[in-house]
Amino acid sequence: MIDLRSDTVTKPSEEMRRAMAEAPVGDDVYGEDPTVNRLEEYVADLIGKEAAIYGPSGTMTNQIGVHLGTRRGEEILLHEQSHIFNYEAGAPALLSGVQSRPLLGDGGLISPDTLRAAVGPENDHFAPPTLLCLENTHNAAGGAVYPLDDFAEVAAEARGLGLGVHLDGARLFNAAVAAGIEAREWCEHVDTVSVCSSKGLGAPVGSLLAGDEATIRRARRVRKAFGGGMRQAGTIAAASLFAFEKNVERLEEDHDLARLLAEGFLEAGYEVEAPETNLVLVKADDENALLEALAKEGVLAGHGRKGYVRFVTHLDVASEDIEKVVEAASRVFASV
Ligand code: TLP
């Protein structure tokens, strides 16, 4: 099977497993795991924030960010296709008691005008909007990079309106590598940012939330309350550290394969969105029919946004696999 459902499906390499086996560990709830401490410092430094905290998933680190940026009864503003709004099991309402206001925008972007229009005057009828959540790259927009100028502009607009800003940067390093811009350049404009080691960077588990010292100190209590306080977490944090140290630059290879794949699909007759990073969206009248036909050919893909099937390139995919996927897609074209 060639598994292109997600870049979350990668298995740790031998070298990564060795780093995990050899990692010094301690009880991280006491702050005594040297590997976790090293990882948190490394990532904070990498993205230009004062501090970072390690958590088990991107969902948890996003939700800690939401929790820290709001109070019960307030409102977060986010793209209608965003991961936090669509794929985190209603967690902003469940865990933080906030209302989500979905905003429209092409390619996963939110314009300053759209944001301004969504923030009404103060009025007892309205839930006070307090946090803007952005996403880079944007999953549902096919891994689109948030252009830095647009990002800075909408973040500045949010500040002007008195809102905080959180960035879901699950694939921020894909954006950085594709755009040739340091990840920290986006992070400069936000209060909190969540980054994942378990997507294209190839670790089996682990995400971090970064921000200023005081915010991350508060995040430790929230992580505990959300059940994310881990003990000898150095065993897994070692994989994340390895991922951030060794696997960022190579994301370019995934992007190259995504372009190859998109070209192959186009040649086979499909409608495809030109990928900016490692996600390829292929239009399908019947997504399930295409997914099933491909699965019979030994190719696994997943659902993209409505009307699209999503293929994700990653560390465990080689160019020969891409050729096989394109051949399979050509064979099933007539039937779907
Ligand atoms: N996304 C997964 C699925 O949940 C859709 C995937 O296969 O792409 N932010 C973004 C932008 C994400 O794409 C994801 C994972 C997360 C957050 C959540 O990360 P995890 O799975 O670690 O909770």
Side-chain angles (χ1 to χ4, degrees):
M1 276 288 180
I2 300 173
D3 193 346
L4 302 183
R5 285 173 301 169
S6 183
D7 46 10
T8 58
V9 302
T10 56
K11 311 250 167 64
S13 64
E14 280 305 313
E15 232 189 323
M16 184 181 272
R17 284 175 192 270
R18 228 178 355 261
M20 295 171 77
E22 290 168 3
V25 297
D27 191 327
D28 182 46
V29 172
Y30 291 100
E32 289 173 4
D33 189 296
T35 308
V36 171
N37 293 343
R38 235 182 96 200
L39 170 68
E40 291 178 345
E41 278 163 31
Y42 184 87
V43 171
D45 194 49
L46 186 64
I47 58 181
K49 290 291 184 202
E50 284 175 12
I53 181 173
Y54 184 52
S57 69
T59 299
M60 187 181 288
T61 45
N62 272 335
Q63 293 306 324
I64 296 173
V66 167
H67 197 80
L68 291 171
T70 57
R71 283 179 307 185
R72 213 174 155 72
E74 293 180 342
E75 182 176 85
I76 61 172
L77 298 104
L78 69 191
H79 195 276
E80 47 125 13
Q81 295 278 356
S82 65
H83 196 277
I84 294 180
F85 185 54
N86 292 290
Y87 294 103
E88 299 193 7
L94 184 67
L95 301 176
S96 299
V98 295
Q99 163 169 296
S100 292
R101 181 173 297 273
L103 304 180
L104 297 171
D106 290 341
L109 311 187
I110 296 169
S111 75
D113 288 348
T114 301
L115 178 64
R116 204 176 317 114
V119 175
E122 225 183 286
N123 180 309
D124 282 350
H125 293 87
F126 304 151
T130 42
L131 185 70
L132 170 69
C133 299
L134 300 171
E135 186 176 314
N136 187 26
T137 64
H138 201 279
N139 188 338
V145 176
Y146 211 122
L148 182 58
D149 290 347
D150 295 333
F151 190 90
E153 241 179 78
V154 73
E157 184 68 37
R159 296 217 181 287
L161 292 164
L163 310 182
V165 186
H166 169 76
L167 169 59
D168 175 355
R171 296 189 180 83
L172 181 60
F173 293 93
N174 292 88
V177 167
I181 295 172
E182 297 283 338
R184 60 173 60 222
E185 301 246 3
W186 282 282
C187 299
E188 203 180 287
H189 302 282
V190 306
D191 301 294
T192 50
V193 47
S194 162
V195 291
C196 294
S197 63
S198 60
K199 310 288 176 298
L201 301 183
V205 61
S207 299
L208 292 103
L209 183 79
D212 65 26
E213 289 280 1
T215 302
I216 299 306
R217 207 172 313 117
R218 285 172 55 220
R220 296 199 183 274
R221 186 187 300 267
V222 179
R223 183 184 64 176
K224 196 79 188 73
F226 287 0
M230 298 181 282
R231 301 296 179 172
Q232 284 70 36
T235 46
I236 49 174
S240 298
L241 187 58
F242 183 98
F244 283 109
E245 283 177 342
K246 313 259 189 199
N247 289 344
V248 172
E249 291 310 319
R250 65 148 307 285
L251 290 172
E252 190 58 51
E253 295 169 30
D254 299 345
H255 302 170
D256 291 343
L257 291 186
R259 272 192 293 274
L260 258 181
L261 187 65
E263 282 161 20
F265 269 101
L266 262 181
E267 275 169 32
Y270 292 86
E271 254 183 71
V272 186
E273 289 195 354
E276 291 181 46
T277 55
N278 68 327
L279 312 187
V280 179
L281 294 184
V282 175
K283 207 161 194 230
D285 292 335
D286 182 342
E287 293 135 78
N288 288 326
L290 177 56
L291 287 170
E292 278 165 30
L294 285 172
K296 283 194 193 127
E297 296 274 344
V299 176
L300 296 180
H303 287 275
R305 65 170 189 275
K306 208 171 159 29
Y308 290 84
V309 164
R310 186 184 78 160
F311 299 80
V312 185
T313 56
H314 53 73
L315 208 77
D316 294 350
V317 186
S319 50
E320 305 85 77
D321 296 324
I322 299 298
E323 283 164 31
K324 286 186 198 147
V325 173
V326 171
E327 282 163 20
S330 307
R331 280 195 296 276
V332 305
F333 182 69
S335 66
V336 293

